[in-house]
C-alpha cells in the first residue's frame, strides 16, 4: 500500500546547529504537508507544498517539494530549544477523501542548550 | 489555537468495554477526520465525516464507528476494546478540499 517514509527517526543536535529531515512517498503526491508535534501535544500544521520543485521559507525553516512530487525535506537553520518536537510529513491518500492523509513516522528532534 | 476541542483528555478503560470520544470542530468546518496515534508513530486515519455522512475510512475494523452532528460536533465510538487500542485519538477538521488539518488536543485512551 501507499507509504510515506521519513528519515532520520531521531536527531539530537546542539543548539545552533542545523537540522534536516527527509520525507519519501511511494506514490506521486498532489501536495505534501508538514506538521510539528511538541512533546505531549497534538500535530500543528506548518506548511503545504503543492507545486513540483516548490521551496518555501518560514523564518529559519525551509521546505522543499521534489521535482517528481514524491519527496520533500524540512531544513531548520541554527536550531533553538523551541524547535524541539516531532516533525511529520503527510500526503493525501491516493483516491482517498480530503481528510485522509498518510503520515510518516516522524523525525523526533531534540536540542541540547 | 485551532478551535477544535476534544473530551475527555484522558480515559482508562478495561478490555472488552466500549468508549465514546467527543470532538467539537471549528465553526464552518464541515469535514471532520479521526486519527489514531500509537506511541512513537504518526497519526493513522480512521475515518472522515462530511455533512453527517461517513465518506472515507481507513484500515480499521467496524467496531470503530462515528457520528457527526449538525452543530459541528462529532463522536468516535469504539466497541469491544482491545489492549492495542491504547493510543492518542485525534480529531481534525478542515475547511475545504486539500485544506490543512486542524487537530484537537486529543484524547489519551489507555486500555488495561
Amino acid at each position: 500500500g501507499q507509504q510515506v517514509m521519513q528519515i532520520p527517526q531521531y536527531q539530537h543536535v546542539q543548539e545552533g546547529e542545523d537540522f534536516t529531515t527527509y520525507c519519501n512517498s511511494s506514490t506521486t503526491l498532489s501536495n505534501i504537508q508538514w506538521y510539528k508535534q511538541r512533546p505531549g501535544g497534538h500535530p500543528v500544521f506548518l506548511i503545504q507544498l503543492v507545486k513540483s520543485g516548490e521551496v518555501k521559507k518560514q523564518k529559519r525553516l525551509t521546505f522543499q517539494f521534489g521535482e517528481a512530487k514524491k519527496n520533500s525535506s524540512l531544513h531548520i537553520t541554527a536550531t533553538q530549544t523551541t524547535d524541539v518536537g516531532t516533525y511529520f510529513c503527510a500526503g493525501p491518500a491516493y483516491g482517498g477523501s480530503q481528510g485522509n492523509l498518510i503520515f510518516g513516522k516522524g523525525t523526533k528532534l531534540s536540542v541540547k542548550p | 489555537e485551532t478551535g477544535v476541542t476534544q473530551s475527555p483528555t484522558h480515559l482508562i478503560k478495561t478490555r472488552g468495554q466500549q468508549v465514546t470520544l467527543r470532538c467539537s470542530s471549528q465553526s464552518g468546518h464541515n469535514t471532520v477526520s479521526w486519527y489514531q496515534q500509537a506511541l512513537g508513530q504518526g497519526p493513522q486515519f480512521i475515518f472522515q465525516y462530511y455533512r453527517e455522512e461517513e465518506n472515507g475510512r481507513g484500515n480499521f475494523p467496524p467496531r470503530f464507528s462515528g457520528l457527526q452532528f449538525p452543530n459541528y460536533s462529532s463522536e468516535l465510538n469504539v466497541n469491544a476494546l482491545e489492549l492495542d487500542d491504547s493510543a492518542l485519538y485525534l480529531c481534525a477538521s478542515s475547511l475545504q478540499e486539500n485544506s490543512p488539518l486542524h487537530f484537537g488536543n486529543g484524547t489519551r485512551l489507555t486500555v488495561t
Side-chain angles (χ1 to χ4, degrees):
Chain A
Q2 184 181 357
Q3 289 186 330
V4 173
M5 294 146 285
Q6 280 186 257
I7 56 169
Q9 190 175 356
Y10 301 95
Q11 186 78 55
H12 310 282
V13 300
Q14 192 79 34
E15 189 173 22
E17 291 181 338
D18 292 355
F19 158 76
T20 304
T21 174
Y22 299 92
C23 177
N24 220 24
S25 170
S26 59
T27 62
T28 301
L29 300 170
S30 59
N31 68 81
I32 194 154
Q33 301 173 30
W34 286 89
Y35 292 79
K36 176 184 178 181
Q37 186 172 23
R38 294 182 186 275
H42 60 278
V44 175
F45 173 77
L46 294 177
I47 207 160
Q48 178 174 274
L49 304 172
V50 179
K51 299 176 183 177
S52 168
E54 189 171 12
V55 178
K56 285 190 176 179
K57 292 190 176 184
Q58 289 180 350
K59 297 182 181 178
R60 295 178 295 103
L61 278 61
T62 302
F63 303 84
Q64 289 187 321
F65 199 11
E67 294 290 340
K69 302 183 75 173
K70 294 183 69 175
N71 55 68
S72 180
S73 65
L74 158 59
H75 179 82
I76 302 178
T77 303
T79 54
Q80 300 174 358
T81 54
T82 53
D83 296 325
V84 164
T86 302
Y87 293 84
F88 293 98
C89 62
Y94 180 78
S97 50
Q98 70 177 79
N100 185 351
L101 294 180
I102 307 293
F103 280 79
K105 290 188 176 182
T107 296
K108 188 173 183 179
L109 173 64
S110 62
V111 179
K112 187 175 180 181
Chain B
E1 191 59 42
T2 65
V4 180
T5 57
Q6 292 186 241
S7 62
T9 306
H10 296 85
L11 202 52
I12 300 175
K13 288 286 189 178
T14 304
R15 189 172 50 185
Q17 286 187 316
Q18 177 267 343
V19 70
T20 297
L21 310 182
R22 294 180 172 82
C23 172
S24 178
S25 303
Q26 260 184 282
S27 179
H29 286 200
N30 293 321
T31 301
V32 65
S33 303
W34 284 89
Y35 283 79
Q36 180 195 67
Q37 186 177 23
L39 203 60
Q41 302 293 315
Q44 190 173 358
F45 177 74
I46 302 175
F47 46 55
Q48 176 182 282
Y49 278 78
Y50 175 69
R51 292 187 176 177
E52 303 160 50
E53 296 283 335
E54 183 182 300
N55 77 333
R57 190 176 185 92
N59 189 25
F60 281 82
R63 60 189 185 85
F64 285 78
S65 63
L67 287 171
Q68 185 186 26
F69 304 99
N71 64 351
Y72 302 110
S73 67
S74 62
E75 291 180 353
L76 164 64
N77 299 288
V78 188
N79 293 323
L81 284 167
E82 300 177 359
L83 297 179
D84 284 349
D85 295 334
S86 295
L88 179 67
Y89 287 86
L90 296 160
C91 162
S93 70
S94 58
L95 182 60
Q96 57 189 15
E97 187 76 30
N98 289 331
S99 291
L101 298 179
H102 299 271
F103 285 93
N105 289 329
T107 294
R108 174 75 61 187
L109 173 66
T110 302
V111 182
T112 61

